[in-house]
Amino acid sequence: MSIRRMTLGSGYRYLMSSVARMDQSGPATGLQTYYAVKGTPPGRFLGAGLAALNNGQGIQQGSIVTEEHLWRMLGMLQDPVTGQQLGQPPSAPRTRGVNHLGRPRKAPQAVAGFDLTFSAPKSVSVAWALADDPARSRIYAAHRRALEAVVAHGESQVFATRMGKGGIVQEDIRGILATAFDHWDSRAGDPQLHTHVVVLNRVQAVTDGAWRTLDSKALYRAAVGMSELYNGILADELTAELGWDWTPEQRRRSAEPKWEVHGVPLELREHFSQRSSAIESAKDDLVAAFAASHGRQPTAREVIRMRQQATLETREDKHVRPLRELITEWKDRARPFVGAHADTWVGNLTKRTPPRLLAAADLNDGMLRDLASVVLTKVGDKRATFTRANLLAETLRELHGVRFTSPYDRITVAETTATYAAGMSVRLTPPEFGLIPEGLQRTDGSSKFRARNSELYSTKQLLDAEARLLDAAAASDAPTAPMPAEPDLAEPLQTGLRVLSAEQAAAVFAVVTSGRRLDLIVGAAGTGKSTTMAGVRAAWEAAHGLGSVMGLAPSATAAEVLAEAVGVPTENTAKWITEHRRLPELRKEIESYAARLARAYPSRGTRELEKQAASRRSAYARFNLRPRQLVIVDEASMASTLDLDYITAAAARVGAKVLLVGDWAQLSPVQAGGAFKLLADTRQDAPALHDIRRFQHDWERAASLKLRAGRPSVAAVYMDRGRVESGNREDMIDLIFDGWLADATSGRTSMMMAADAQTVADLNARARDHRVAMGEVESTGVLLADGVTIGVGDVVVTRHNQRALVTGRGWVKNGDDWVVQSIDDDGSARVQRTSGGAVAHLPASYVREHLELGYASTAHRAQGRTVDTAHMYVNAATAREPLYVMATRGRESNRLYVDTRFDPDASTRHDDMTEADPVELLEGVIMTSFADLSATTTREAEEDAAQAEWRLLAEGAAAVAQRRRTVPLLSASKYSPEMGNEPVS
C-alpha cells in the first residue's frame, strides 16, 4: 500500500478519466461487465463515516461515485450528495508570495484527501490476468475483501482526528469517507490489479460529531503495517478460495523477503514488470531517427526536447482499453512462459493439499510470547528507538508464512504479539502525569493526549550499551602518548610525511594526551579526517612503537581506504568482532598444536603441523588487543551502537584506547545506531575539524556546512550558483549521464549518485547503453541476478565480501570497482581493478549473484570517496544525510538534479504529477532527517516534551473543555423547563 497526498481540486479528473462510460444507471453486475467496454468500474463509496452524510440518511457503501460526487469531495470538501460543507470550508486561493531571498513561492495548497493505493503482489496480478473468467473474478473479489478488511481495521485503530489547542487530543472518529477505484494495469500497460482508496480529509469526532481533518501523522505511522496486513489477508483469502501456496523470495537489496504465489516464475513476473511507457517508446523512435540523420547520438538536452515532443504526440493515448483486449494481449505475451493454455496453467497453481488455515485460538500464549521476542530482537537490531507501530509491522511480516481463517484471526494474533513485544521493551516516553478525565481516555484506558501507537521504545540491551559508552568516554584511565608541547594553533605541524594544519594538529594533541578510554574526532566532510588520523598514528607509534595502532571501519571497502590513508592494519568491524569472539577457541587450538609439537619428531608431517600452528598464532595476534594499543574506528557514524560497545569493552579489558572518527551528519548504520552523535553531543570539548579543504570554491565550503546543519535557506544558494537542474525523472537521468560523460571524457574523475537503488540501476543502464553504442563495451555477455547483462569492458562493482577470492595483496570486497576483462563460457569472469593492476577471477555463481554495473553509486557506497565532480539525483523522498554525503564528494563541483515530479508508486499513477518548485523541494529534503537518534537522547527529549509548558497548558485546557461538555448535561437534567426551575448562573 502506498500513500499520496491529494491537494484541493486535484485527483478527481484522473480517477474519473479511466472509468467505463456505459448506458447503465444501476450498480455493476460484476467483473464480467467490464470485459468488453473501455475503462474500469466506476468508483464505489467506502467507509463507516458515510452513515452521517446526505442529511443523516447516509450513503450506501458500494454505491457508485459520480464525477459530481468526487468533485464535491475533493474540490470543495463537501457532502457528495447535498453539497453541505463538511467542517471548515477551504480557504480561497492565495496569491504567490516571495521568500526571504525574494524568490517566488507557491502558496501551500490544502490537503483534500489521501490516495491509499492497494496493489496486489506481481504474482497475484499475473495469475489474475491469465486466469479463466471464474478464477479471475474470485481473485478480484479476494483483493477487494482484503483491502476492505484493512480499511475497517484502520477505522478502529489508525484513522483519527485532532482536537484542542495544538491538536493536543487525538480523538477517535465515527468512520472515514472514501471512494474506491479499481484499475487493471500499470502505467506501462502490464497487469497490475490495484485499487485507489481515496480517503477524504474530513472525519467526525466521536465526542462531538464535529467535522475535522484527519490525523495524517497517525496514518503515515501505520502505513507499513497496513500494507503488510493487506498482503497477509490477501494471501489468506486466495489460499481459502483457490488453494494457493506461498513462497518467500529474498530481495536483492533488502533483508526482508517478499511472498509470492508458489509456481509463478520470476521470469514471467519480470516480463510483466516493464518500466517503459508510450512516451518513452516514442522518444526512443525519435532518438533513433536523429542518430540516423545526424550521424551521432543526441545530447541530453536534445533528448529532453524529443521527450517533450513524444509527450505531445502520445497525449491522446489514455491507455483506457477493454479488459478483454488487455487479457488477450497479456496471454499472448505470456505464451513463451506458460504455453498456449494460460488458464490451465493458473489452475495448476492450486495445491492438492493446500496450507492449513489457522484460527487465533490455535496459537497459544507461549507461542505468541516467543514470537514477540523474535519481533523485538529484529526491530531492536534495526532501530535504536521504535514505536508499537513498528513492532506491529514486523509482527505481520513474521506471520506472512502462516495462513489464517479470517482477517479477525490474523489481526488478533498480530495485535496481541505486538502488545507483548512492547511490554518486553523499555518505554522512553514517560506516562501521563495526574488523573486523566474519563472523557479523555480511550476504551482501553490509554490517554488521548498520546497519539495511538506513538510512544517510543528501545531495548534494555541498547540502553545499557549506550550507558557503557558514555562511561567509557568519561573515563580518563587510558594510555597516552605525550607530545613535546601543545601545538601552536597558528602554525601547521610536520608529522611523518604529512603536514597538518593547526586545527588538525590540535586534534591530534587532544586525542593522544587526553587519557580518555573512548575518544573521538568529529569532522565535517572534506576537513581532512584521514590526514588527522595519520597524525594520530605517527604520534602514538612514536610513543608506543610500530604496530601499536590498528584500524576498524564498518565496511571492508572503508577499512581498505583507512589502511591506505593511515598506513595501519585494518579490518571491518563485523569481521573483527566475529574473530575476536573466537579468540578463546583459537587459544585452545594453539595450545593443542603446542602440545602435539612438543611430542613430535622432525618430519614432513611435523613441518605441516608447524605451519598450521603459525597460522593460528598469526590470526590470534591479528584479532587480539594489547595494552597501550590504539584502535581507530573510522566512519564511526555508520557503526552500530552494539558494535562500538563491544570494541570499547574489549579495549578496556586490556588497557587499550579507542578513537572514533566520523561525522554525525552523514549516514547512519543499517543496524541500530546514533551512538556517535550521542557521544559528540555529550562531549562539548571533543576535538572537531571545521576547516573544509576539499572544495575549490569558498562559497561551497560555507554552503556544505549549512547543508550539514540542516539550514533550508542553503537550497537557494545552490540554485543561485547554477548547481541545480530540475525536471521529470527521465530528463534528470539523461542530464546526470550527460554531465558525467562530459567530465569523464575531459579526464576528470566523476561520480553519478542517487539515494535509491532503482535510480542507480537506471543510471548504470544509461551508461552501459551509451558505451555499447560507442563500441566500448560488448553488447553480449552474462546475465546477472538483477536482469542486467554485462559484457567485456563494463565497469562493475562486487557486492559481497569473498576473502577466498584473492587479488594481488587484497581480496574481493563489497564495494570494489572493476573492469570486465573477459567472460568464460561457464559465466565466470576475469576482472581488473579500475585503478589498474590487481586481477581477480570471479566464479560464475559470484558473477550471477553478487555483481552489478558500477557506473553509478548509492550514497552509502559513495561516503568516504572524493572525486573531481559529482552528479546526484534528488527527489522528495531523499533525506538530508544522503544529500549531504552526495553533495560533498566533488572537489570542483557538485551538481544536484532535482526530480520535481516524483511519485512514490509511479506504476499505479495514471496522471502526470504536478511539478514542484525545485528550491522548495530541496528545502524539504534538507529539513528531513533520517538519522538514527540514540535511545538516551530520545528519552531525554521525550521527558522534556512531556514537561513542556505549552503541552501542560494545552492538556489543562482540554481537561477544562471536557468538563464543560459533560457538566451542562447534568445541569440540564436538574433544571429543566418541565420542572419549572431556572438554571443558576
Side-chain angles (χ1 to χ4, degrees), residues 277-291:
S277 66
I279 294 174
E280 285 301 297
S281 297
K283 181 267 298 179
D284 291 342
D285 291 341
L286 293 172
V287 169
F290 180 97

Side-chain angles (χ1 to χ4, degrees), residues 164-165 168-169 440 449 951-965:
K165 185 176 181 180
I168 192 67
V169 178
L440 293 174
F449 290 141
R951 172 175 284 279
L952 296 177
L953 292 174
E955 289 180 355
V960 171
Q962 172 63 27
R963 187 169 183 273
R964 286 175 178 169
R965 282 196 295 269

Side-chain angles (χ1 to χ4, degrees), residues 591-851:
E591 292 172 351
S592 174
Y593 277 114
R596 292 167 64 186
L597 286 169
R599 301 189 301 268
Y601 292 98
S603 67
R604 181 178 298 176
T606 300
R607 288 195 296 272
E608 182 61 31
L609 206 62
E610 289 174 341
K611 289 181 180 179
Q612 294 174 5
S615 172
R616 299 299 190 277
R617 289 193 299 269
S618 174
Y620 189 88
R622 180 179 180 184
F623 295 104
N624 191 27
L625 292 177
R626 303 187 301 276
R628 296 182 299 280
Q629 197 167 20
L630 175 65
V631 181
I632 300 177
V633 183
D634 194 17
E635 301 288 2
S637 69
M638 293 185 69
S640 76
T641 298
L642 296 181
D643 284 354
L644 292 180
D645 176 48
Y646 183 92
I647 294 165
T648 303
R653 284 194 296 269
V654 299
K657 176 185 176 77
V658 176
L659 170 63
L660 308 182
V661 182
D663 181 4
W664 49 260
Q666 297 193 47
L667 295 165
S668 296
V670 176
Q671 295 174 301
F676 185 77
K677 189 174 192 312
L678 169 66
L679 294 167
D681 289 342
T682 303
R683 272 203 58 192
Q684 298 296 320
D685 63 339
L689 305 176
H690 301 289
D691 182 17
I692 298 176
R693 310 163 71 81
R694 175 174 297 164
F695 307 123
Q696 290 186 359
H697 305 284
D698 290 339
W699 73 265
E700 196 160 10
R701 297 187 182 100
S704 71
L705 290 175
K706 291 180 180 178
L707 175 57
R708 179 177 186 261
R711 297 181 183 175
S713 60
V714 76
V717 176
Y718 282 93
M719 176 66 82
D720 290 341
R721 293 289 179 171
R723 293 290 185 84
V724 179
E725 299 276 1
S726 63
N728 64 53
R729 184 177 186 275
E730 291 75 17
D731 290 349
M732 294 304 96
I733 287 176
D734 284 337
L735 288 178
I736 290 172
F737 169 74
D738 209 39
W740 170 81
L741 181 63
D743 289 340
T745 302
S746 66
R748 296 182 177 91
T749 57
S750 185
M751 290 181 69
M752 298 186 289
M753 292 171 288
D756 66 291
Q758 185 57 60
T759 301
V760 170
D762 291 344
L763 288 167
N764 278 328
R766 180 75 172 81
R768 184 175 197 276
D769 289 346
H770 171 82
R771 297 197 68 205
V772 169
M774 295 294 101
E776 299 169 355
V777 171
E778 291 186 3
S779 59
T780 58
V782 62
L783 186 67
L784 306 182
D786 57 3
V788 173
T789 297
I790 62 166
V792 173
D794 265 320
V795 175
V796 294
V797 58
T798 46
R799 302 297 289 154
H800 181 68
N801 291 334
Q802 192 73 44
R803 292 172 186 268
L805 297 177
V806 179
T807 166
R809 297 181 180 178
W811 44 277
V812 174
K813 294 178 289 299
N814 180 11
D816 283 349
D817 292 316
W818 312 82
V819 176
V820 179
Q821 301 293 306
S822 63
I823 296 176
D824 297 334
D825 293 339
D826 63 354
S828 60
R830 184 177 182 270
V831 296
Q832 184 178 35
R833 293 192 183 276
T834 52
S835 57
V839 172
H841 189 271
L842 306 179
S845 59
Y846 188 98
V847 171
R848 184 175 59 255
E849 299 296 333
H850 304 301
L851 212 59

Side-chain angles (χ1 to χ4, degrees), residues 879-898:
R880 181 198 311 152
E881 291 78 22
L883 174 62
Y884 172 60
V885 169
M886 294 188 294
T888 53
R889 297 306 97 197
R891 301 182 189 91
E892 299 177 22
S893 73
N894 297 276
R895 300 187 66 82
L896 286 62
Y897 300 79
V898 182

Side-chain angles (χ1 to χ4, degrees), residues 44 87 95 132-133 153 187 191 260 263 271 330 351 438 467 489 518 521 579 624 908 924 934 939 941:
R44 60 188 187 278
T95 58
D132 58 24
D133 291 350
H153 177 256
R187 190 177 180 91
E260 300 284 0
H271 174 76
W330 293 333
K351 302 302 176 186
E438 185 177 347
L489 294 182
L518 177 62
I521 294 176
E579 296 301 327
N624 191 27
T908 59
S934 69
R939 179 159 56 186

